[in-house]
Amino acid sequence: MAGLKCAVSWTPKQISCAMTIKGLQSALVVNHRFYSSVPKGKKEEIRDGPGLADFITKSSSEIKEEYFARRRRLPLPPWLKTTIPTSKSYNKLKKDLRSLKLHTVCEEARCPNIGECWGGESGTATATIMVLGDTCTRGCRFCSVKTARNPPPPDPDEPVNTAVALAEWGLDYVVLTSVDRDDLPDGGSKHFADTVKEIKKRISTMLVETLTPDFRGDKEAIAAVVNSGVDVYAHNVETVRNLQWLVRDPRANYEQSLEVLRYAKSINPKIVTKTSIMLGLGETDENVLQTLKDLRDIDVDCVTLGQYMQPTRYHIKVKEYVTPEKFQHWEKIGNELGFAYTASGPLVRSSYKAGEFYLKNLVEKRSKNAALEDACQ
């Protein structure tokens, strides 16, 4: 073949291969010529343009320091340091919970008040029982409860076991909460309601607060819990409106949480409604004030405000440790806005022993007033 000179004879396959290589070489030459067609003036402009150093305004040591500063946790202020729980009441409560296969949000969420709430004397120790298992179907960035798409099915004996345990402890106020169970058709609302009914069946005088998920906004599910005989219906908005997307699972949102609280009150206007807000996530004073106003607009009775605490390094970081003085300010604002009860403090949580004493009195007072109204009619 013309253009191919070789001392040995070539097979058709070798010739085809040589032609392919020659074609690739030609293509490379064409491409080289194409890029080489940039005008000389443009080449000089590119050569004399900004380099990498022009985009770096800080030294390598400064960049390294900023990187690690972003990863570093804020040091814990003295007002947030608590003692390790060791009391007899604490140990007994923990043992009872394990023997009955019950879970508490106190342990699962690593609550800093576990020593105080579990460590009281007889009749004052408080545990927030978590029904529907210990595995959540959502992944909020502030919560350390373990998650899964399809958690194990709820324990059918849990409502009875919970009621039996509470009857033995002799408490007069209990909080029931749960993980989100989006895998269940009713979100677990029937299980919630059955637990309340079992408790009331055994101790009719015990006051029960339910801290519920949003049930995806399902009104039938909300009604099932409200109509179970519960005394306080709680659901947490968790944070201010503009931080919802950053803090909570995408299936939760501000408007849906407000609607849960509004609908619960519409079913039973005499029921006490309650919610909680975490501070220290980057919210502004204007954000917090607007959230409190939104809650009062739907007639929420009680609100708690507490410091967000990062449970592990994999969770959303604390932006600020709010001072006790600032929490006192929000307590004053809450009272001025008309909340029946505002608990605001660095270690305050949605289920907090100090608040339960007040809520107990509030529920009993409303029950007496309702009885008087019925008698007068």
Side-chain angles (χ1 to χ4, degrees), residues 99-343:
S99 65
L100 290 168
K101 298 180 180 179
L102 300 178
H103 306 281
T104 68
V105 74
C106 318
E107 294 173 292
E108 298 296 334
R110 304 183 184 186
C111 179
N113 298 316
I114 191 169
E116 180 182 352
C117 291
W118 287 25
E121 298 301 323
S122 177
T124 62
T126 303
T128 300
I129 303 297
M130 189 162 71
V131 298
L132 291 167
D134 63 348
T135 306
C136 187
T137 54
R138 298 188 186 180
C140 296
R141 294 187 64 201
F142 66 89
C143 183
S144 65
V145 173
K146 60 185 176 182
T147 63
R149 287 186 179 179
N150 294 297
D155 178 3
D157 297 326
E158 188 174 54
V160 173
N161 285 343
T162 302
V164 168
L166 294 173
E168 290 178 358
W169 292 336
L171 305 178
D172 54 8
Y173 191 103
V174 65
V175 182
L176 300 177
T177 189
S178 80
V179 292
D180 281 282
R181 293 299 301 258
D182 296 306
D183 59 313
L184 303 176
D186 67 345
S189 60
K190 183 180 183 301
H191 192 94
F192 236 122
D194 288 345
T195 306
V196 175
K197 291 172 183 176
E198 289 293 339
I199 293 170
K200 291 288 188 177
K201 186 191 301 182
R202 286 166 175 76
I203 323 122
S204 60
T205 57
M206 178 178 284
L207 299 179
V208 182
E209 173 185 329
T210 54
L211 175 56
T212 73
D214 59 24
F215 298 124
R216 302 184 300 274
D218 183 346
K219 288 182 167 56
E220 289 186 10
I222 299 167
V225 179
V226 173
N227 294 328
S228 66
V230 66
D231 301 288
V232 178
Y233 190 100
H235 170 69
N236 292 341
V237 295
E238 307 295 4
T239 186
V240 297
R241 183 193 296 270
N242 64 317
L243 291 179
Q244 296 277 322
W245 68 275
L246 184 66
V247 174
R248 302 176 76 187
D249 184 276
R251 286 164 286 188
N253 63 76
Y254 190 73
E255 286 73 18
Q256 183 165 270
S257 290
L258 290 181
E259 179 58 21
V260 169
L261 292 162
R262 186 205 65 77
Y263 187 68
K265 178 71 82 171
S266 71
I267 298 171
N268 181 4
K270 295 175 184 177
I271 201 171
V272 175
T273 50
K274 176 185 169 188
T275 194
S276 183
I277 307 167
M278 296 179 292
L279 302 185
L281 288 161
E283 67 286 333
T284 65
D285 287 355
E286 291 75 14
N287 295 154
V288 179
L289 180 59
Q290 186 57 56
T291 302
L292 293 174
K293 288 180 178 178
D294 292 342
L295 294 169
R296 280 306 299 139
D297 287 344
I298 58 171
D299 203 22
V300 170
D301 299 292
C302 307
V303 63
T304 64
L305 299 97
Q307 172 68 52
Y308 165 64
M309 303 281 281
Q310 184 181 6
T312 74
R313 64 190 181 93
Y314 301 107
H315 292 81
I316 189 170
K317 286 180 62 177
V318 176
K319 298 293 184 184
E320 174 192 8
Y321 285 121
V322 181
T323 63
E325 292 75 22
K326 192 67 175 181
F327 277 108
Q328 289 175 4
H329 164 75
W330 290 122
E331 183 170 347
K332 180 183 176 184
I333 294 296
N335 292 334
E336 290 174 354
L337 288 173
F339 287 100
Y341 173 65
T342 305

